[in-house]
């Protein structure tokens, strides 16, 4: 495990699930880790994010985890409103842009930094939710990861991405799981090589890998943590 003593981290979307597990994992390894959720800071608002970063000071590690489907369900494309689209894209992709832009000046000044974006298997393939904006935003996070890794590498900043598989990490995923029924649940589990669903801690462990000093020559990469689902 990495020794993160003396490092300052910011994790978005920490109310529950992957964000909460990541925040705790960073703290367990010695980081001064700060977590925010939608009730404390609107991470799509540049002014609120800038004020947050100013309060914290220099940030060594940023984990862009905020996002989700914003309580939406899959519908035919022609039934999706402009507002529905923007809400999901902003929550997932715009938040990643706004938070990354806010921490980069401090990382450049320090000559190092670690940024980890939490995308989804939906960004590499299709979304089980059927939500077009979610799949598009998660794919956008992957593109943003690669582009910023190319741009920021010369400053000692790495940018990597995790694409989680099915994790029961919040009420939305629990409802989705329950909607499948016994047969659908069995089929999903059997499509995963390791024959189990993921846990928030599985994803947090991937974050620890990317922020470790041992990963200093890894950037622009997308790591699927999905029990082998993506190999089928």
């Amino acid at each position: 495990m990495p020794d993160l003593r003396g490092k300052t981290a910011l994790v978005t979307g920490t109310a529950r699930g992957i964000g909460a597990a990541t925040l705790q994992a960073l703290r367990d390894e010695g980081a001064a880790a700060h977590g925010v959720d939608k009730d404390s800071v609107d991470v799509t608002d540049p002014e609120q994010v800038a004020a947050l970063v100013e309060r914290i000071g220099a940030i060594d590690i940023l984990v862009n985890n905020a996002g989700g489907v914003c309580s939406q369900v899959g519908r035919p494309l022609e039934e999706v409103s402009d507002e529905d689209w923007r809400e999901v894209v902003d929550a997932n992709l715009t938040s990643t842009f706004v938070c990354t832009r806010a921490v980069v000046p401090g990382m450049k000044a320090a000559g190092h930094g670690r940024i980890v974006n939490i995308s989804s298997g939906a960004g590499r393939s299709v979304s089980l939710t059927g939500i077009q904006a979610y799949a598009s935003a998660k794919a956008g996070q992957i593109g943003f990861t690669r582009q910023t890794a190319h741009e920021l590498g010369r400053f000692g900043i790495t940018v990597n991405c995790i694409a989680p598989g099915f994790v029961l990490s919040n009420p939305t995923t629990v409802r989705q799981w329950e909607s499948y029924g016994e047969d659908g649940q069995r089929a999903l589990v059997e499509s995963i090589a390791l024959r189990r669903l993921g846990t928030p801690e599985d994803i947090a462990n991937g974050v620890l890998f990317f922020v470790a000093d041992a990963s200093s020559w890894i950037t622009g990469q997308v790591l699927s943590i999905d029990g082998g689902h993506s190999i089928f």
Side-chain angles (χ1 to χ4, degrees):
M1 290 297 178
D3 181 358
L4 301 179
R5 288 174 293 182
K7 302 293 186 182
T8 299
L10 172 61
V11 185
T12 66
T14 57
R16 60 176 67 88
I18 291 170
T22 298
L23 183 66
Q24 187 59 54
L26 293 169
R27 288 173 174 171
D28 288 345
E29 301 309 319
H34 303 261
V36 297
D37 58 46
K38 63 182 180 180
D39 293 328
S40 59
V41 175
D42 179 357
V43 290
T44 70
D45 184 328
E47 292 185 359
Q48 289 191 39
V49 172
L52 171 67
V53 172
E54 185 175 359
R55 289 197 302 273
I56 295 173
I59 293 172
D60 304 289
I61 297 165
L62 171 65
V63 182
N64 286 306
N65 173 68
V69 299
C70 303
S71 299
Q72 294 185 29
V73 296
R75 287 167 293 164
L77 184 63
E78 63 271 22
E79 297 178 12
V80 179
S81 70
D82 294 345
E83 182 180 355
D84 292 334
W85 174 271
R86 284 193 295 267
E87 182 181 30
V88 173
V89 171
D90 282 350
N92 293 274
L93 183 55
T94 303
S95 65
T96 297
F97 162 69
V98 169
C99 292
T100 301
R101 182 178 61 181
V103 304
V104 159
M107 290 183 174
K108 284 183 175 181
H112 66 82
R114 297 284 185 269
I115 300 171
V116 183
N117 299 320
I118 307 300
S119 178
S120 168
R124 306 196 76 168
S125 180
V126 298
S127 176
L128 296 177
T129 68
I131 298 172
Q132 304 88 347
Y134 182 73
S136 301
K138 289 304 186 184
Q141 281 184 305
I142 292 173
F144 184 76
T145 295
R146 291 170 174 155
Q147 189 64 41
T148 52
H150 177 74
E151 176 183 344
L152 300 175
R154 71 193 69 185
F155 302 102
I157 302 168
T158 67
V159 189
N160 290 290
C161 189
I162 293 174
F166 200 96
V167 178
L168 292 176
S169 60
N170 55 57
T172 299
T173 53
V174 171
R175 286 194 299 270
Q176 184 180 348
W177 172 251
E178 292 174 346
S179 74
Y180 294 154
E182 289 187 9
D183 290 343
Q185 291 172 0
R186 186 180 306 109
L188 176 58
V189 171
E190 289 179 354
S191 73
I192 300 170
L194 291 176
R195 297 302 192 272
R196 72 168 176 87
L197 302 182
T199 68
E201 289 72 23
D202 289 323
I203 311 308
N205 287 335
V207 173
L208 292 181
F209 167 73
F210 278 135
V211 303
D213 287 342
S215 299
S216 63
W217 209 46
I218 300 173
T219 196
Q221 301 305 304
V222 183
L223 175 62
S224 291
I225 302 182
D226 60 5
H229 178 76
S230 58
I231 64 178
F232 287 94

